[in-house]
Every structure is written in C-alpha cells, then in structure tokens.
C-alpha cells in the first residue's frame, strides 16, 4: 500500500499536517506499524497518538521540524 501523506515529510524542512489531512496520515502510521518492530514501532505509536489528538480538535496541527 503506498503512503498517502507520510511520504511528504521533509527531513530538511518543516512539514505540517492539518485536520483535513490527519486521517490519511493516521492511515499511513497504521500501515507502517504493521511492517515495523522495536523502537521504531514505539515511535510510530507515539506519533499516531499525537495525530489522534489532532484529529479531535480542528485547531491543532501535527508539525515535523526538519534539521
């Protein structure tokens, strides 16, 4: 299954997901967690928990800060 939005996270710049995008982003996190183990799986779970919080409030954004 191809990633919908996670592929747009830029390691060199900031990436922000809004409430309209967060559902697709959570789908990506669940798909990645199925093929990941260990510390990476725990990190994906933590990111998904943050995304879930953003899904509940349209005024919250999930932001990844690049280098």
């Amino acid at each position: 299954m191809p990633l919908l939005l996670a592929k747009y996270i830029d390691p060199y710049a900031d990436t922000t997901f809004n409430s309209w995008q967060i559902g697709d982003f959570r789908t990506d996190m669940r798909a990645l967690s199925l093929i990941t183990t260990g510390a990476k799986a725990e990190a994906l779970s933590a990111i998904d928990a943050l995304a879930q919080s953003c899904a509940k409030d349209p005024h919250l954004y999930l932001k990844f800060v690049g280098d």
Side-chain angles (χ1 to χ4, degrees), residues 1 6 9 13-14 24-26 34-35 40 42-43 48-51 62 65-66:
M1 176 177 159
I9 296 174
D14 297 348
D24 288 339
F25 181 79
R26 291 195 68 216
L34 294 175
I35 59 170
K40 289 182 181 180
E42 291 177 24
D48 186 50
L50 290 171
L62 184 62
V65 180

Side-chain angles (χ1 to χ4, degrees), residues 2-55:
L3 296 178
L4 302 171
L5 293 176
K7 65 184 177 185
Y8 294 113
I9 296 174
D10 186 348
Y12 306 107
D14 297 348
T15 305
T16 304
F17 295 107
N18 63 33
S19 60
W20 288 77
Q21 299 167 316
I22 214 70
D24 288 339
F25 181 79
R26 291 195 68 216
T27 299
D28 290 351
M29 291 299 99
R30 288 189 292 273
L32 288 171
S33 69
L34 294 175
I35 59 170
T36 307
T37 59
K40 289 182 181 180
E42 291 177 24
L44 289 173
S45 177
I47 292 168
D48 186 50
L50 290 171
Q52 184 177 9
S53 295
C54 292

